[in-house]
Amino acid sequence: MTNPALAVVDDPGALGLCPARLERIDGWMRRLVDEGRLAGLSVAVERRGRLGFFRAHGRSDLARGRPFADDTIVRIYSMTKPLTSVAVMMLYEEGRFQLDDPVTRLLPEFAGMRVLTGGNRARPETEPARREITIRDLLTHTAGLTYGFMEATLADEIYRREGIDFHRRDASLAEVVERLAGLPLLAQPGEEWNYSVATDVLGHLVAVVSGIDFASFLRERVIGPLGMADTDFHVPADKLPRFAANYIYDRERRLKLYDDSVETAYASPPAIASGGGGLVSTAADYLRFCRFLLNGGQLDGVRLLGRKSVALMLANHLPGDLAAMGTPRFAESSYSGIGFGLGVSVMLDPARAQILGSPGEAAWGGVASTAFWIDPAEDLSVVLLTQLVPSSALPIRRELRVLAYAALTD
């Protein structure tokens, strides 16, 4: 069933949006599809809690000829992370822990961590961590963890060798976290920003603290109460016809199937519910999540977080921007002028970021080129859905930001 949020588009002019300039987004979307750069995509722009623009173009599945529609279900990958962060903040509000608590208070397997200083795969050289990892370090990607898929450092290589993969089907979340805790860190806790599996560790922390498995917690405490009817860690059989295929470019920059919409691992529940990248969702569902954040932690009379907790999530927790925290090897955002909060990037300075925006704007994206941002100063939410890996293949996020902000008239 289509979410009513996308059934009716309000008068853009009444929301301070220029209809003619919004049509530029439509033309841009059509070009991406017509030129074969994307199979299909959708864009939703909401202001003051009302939908001012929604369009979908192209195909969700090229082989089967299915249109990309308002209820198309996609892999949102790392756009899962903000939902996991909300789950953590809900337990924080219950007094279960403090953000600066050592994570060993809840996950003792992280005691005695060591940090890589050199060496090679056969004989890595390490030194003791100068302090323990905190829960805030995990939320801000400053814990010293990494991702094996980046293939840029010795730590990444060790992750791959030891099977640190939160999408594997032959282990539990607890087992992979325990294995991870026995490996050396990439950097000293708190000293560098490195995109990482930290949010998957937080999913395990939620399970340990709450006493229920992470997938159930997220469904029962976050996804269900927010009315995100099509958001889950897998796609039930009756919804598979709405599930999009995922694509990658071949050497000639032509679209090639990366993951089928029917013959896919997402057709059944995973062994591990990945808090860092496991969810599927729709435009309507993710707009509800955006509205929840912009409303200060409540939606349609349901409050999951206090407004001060949401404000803390959306504040920059780094001493500067990402560029000042080492040299990030990968992120779902640019680095200069962009800080990081508790699970989301935070705009600090649009001039330094060299893009339109507002200080305090929060955002993130997924590896299949999906993205969202919320701008409290403009009471604006934008959700972009498509399925192309990796997200660095096209600059569509920055292009859409310019088009969307250019449509503001008040």
Side-chain angles (χ1 to χ4, degrees):
M1 184 177 71
T2 299
N3 192 307
L6 298 184
V8 177
V9 177
D10 283 299
D11 173 20
L15 303 178
L17 296 166
C18 174
R21 285 173 172 256
L22 287 174
E23 286 303 315
R24 295 176 181 174
I25 300 176
D26 187 85
W28 169 78
M29 296 171 70
R30 290 178 184 274
R31 287 192 300 274
L32 287 168
V33 172
D34 292 346
E35 294 170 5
R37 291 189 284 167
L38 291 176
L41 74 163
S42 68
V43 172
V45 179
E46 189 173 88
R47 196 166 193 223
R48 300 168 187 160
R50 294 159 61 189
L51 190 66
F53 177 90
F54 180 81
R55 301 288 168 81
H57 289 298
R59 302 293 180 185
S60 66
D61 188 316
L62 293 173
R64 297 175 178 86
R66 295 173 181 165
F68 209 104
D70 59 352
D71 61 352
T72 292
I73 300 171
V74 304
R75 305 154 191 81
I76 62 171
Y77 288 116
S78 287
M79 282 168 60
T80 305
K81 288 179 170 71
L83 280 84
T84 302
S85 297
V86 166
V88 172
M89 294 302 289
M90 291 172 71
L91 294 172
Y92 168 64
E93 283 195 336
E94 293 176 6
R96 306 293 192 96
F97 48 78
Q98 293 298 301
L99 297 181
D100 284 334
D101 280 349
V103 73
T104 52
R105 182 189 152 207
L106 301 167
L107 305 179
E109 56 266 41
F110 283 93
M113 297 299 291
R114 298 188 66 85
V115 181
L116 280 168
T117 58
N120 53 47
R121 177 177 175 177
R123 187 172 294 179
E125 298 172 359
T126 65
E127 66 181 11
R130 288 191 279 272
R131 68 163 175 81
E132 292 197 70
I133 297 169
T134 68
I135 295 170
R136 190 199 325 241
D137 290 333
L138 294 172
L139 285 162
T140 58
H141 294 287
T142 58
L145 303 175
T146 185
Y147 267 122
F149 71 80
M150 289 193 262
E151 302 186 10
T153 69
L154 175 58
D156 302 346
E157 186 176 353
I158 292 172
Y159 274 38
R160 295 194 302 278
R161 181 189 70 195
E162 297 299 326
I164 305 304
D165 179 1
F166 288 90
H167 292 275
R168 60 189 300 167
R169 304 188 74 86
D170 61 347
S172 69
L173 176 57
E175 288 169 343
V176 178
V177 169
E178 184 173 5
R179 189 175 305 171
L180 170 68
L183 303 181
L185 299 173
L186 173 64
Q188 290 287 344
E191 293 190 4
E192 293 183 12
W193 190 92
N194 289 292
Y195 200 39
S196 72
V197 297
T199 314
D200 289 291
V201 176
L202 288 171
H204 179 52
L205 183 144
V206 168
V208 169
V209 173
S210 68
I212 63 174
D213 69 273
F214 174 62
S216 296
F217 185 97
L218 209 64
R219 291 189 193 104
E220 296 167 11
R221 298 284 303 274
V222 180
I223 293 169
L226 290 181
M228 300 173 70
D230 290 319
T231 301
D232 208 334
F233 289 100
H234 79 289
V235 184
D238 62 329
K239 295 183 180 181
L240 273 178
R242 292 196 279 129
F243 191 41
N246 199 3
Y247 295 92
I248 193 170
Y249 287 142
D250 64 16
R251 291 184 178 181
E252 285 73 42
R253 296 281 290 181
R254 295 174 301 195
L255 292 169
K256 179 177 72 172
L257 187 66
Y258 181 78
D259 183 42
D260 191 52
S261 65
V262 176
E263 300 298 322
T264 173
Y266 287 89
S268 59
I272 298 174
S274 169
L279 287 175
V280 299
S281 192
T282 62
D285 277 9
Y286 216 87
L287 271 180
R288 291 186 65 80
F289 182 69
C290 291
R291 200 176 309 133
F292 154 78
L293 292 176
L294 280 179
N295 287 351
Q298 67 88 27
L299 180 66
D300 296 342
V302 176
R303 178 168 291 282
L304 302 187
L305 287 175
R307 65 179 181 84
K308 299 296 285 186
S309 297
V310 174
L312 187 63
M313 284 185 66
L314 306 186
N316 181 35
H317 286 251
L318 306 182
D321 61 9
L322 295 180
M325 292 288 291
T327 304
R329 294 161 295 125
F330 175 80
E332 298 291 351
S333 85
S334 56
Y335 310 139
S336 295
I338 306 292
F340 205 82
L342 304 179
V344 290
S345 64
V346 180
M347 174 68 77
L348 302 178
D349 185 341
R352 286 172 58 202
Q354 300 184 55
I355 195 70
L356 297 179
S358 304
E361 163 205 304
W364 206 241
V367 74
S369 303
T370 59
F372 86 98
W373 77 87
I374 58 170
D375 186 332
E378 297 290 350
D379 200 0
L380 176 75
S381 301
V382 179
V383 174
L384 163 66
L385 297 185
T386 187
Q387 297 283 263
L388 175 70
V389 296
S391 55
S392 57
L394 290 173
I396 55 176
R397 295 169 179 172
R398 292 178 71 82
E399 291 171 352
L400 178 58
R401 291 175 64 82
V402 176
L403 292 162
Y405 275 116
L408 293 175
T409 59
D410 66 6

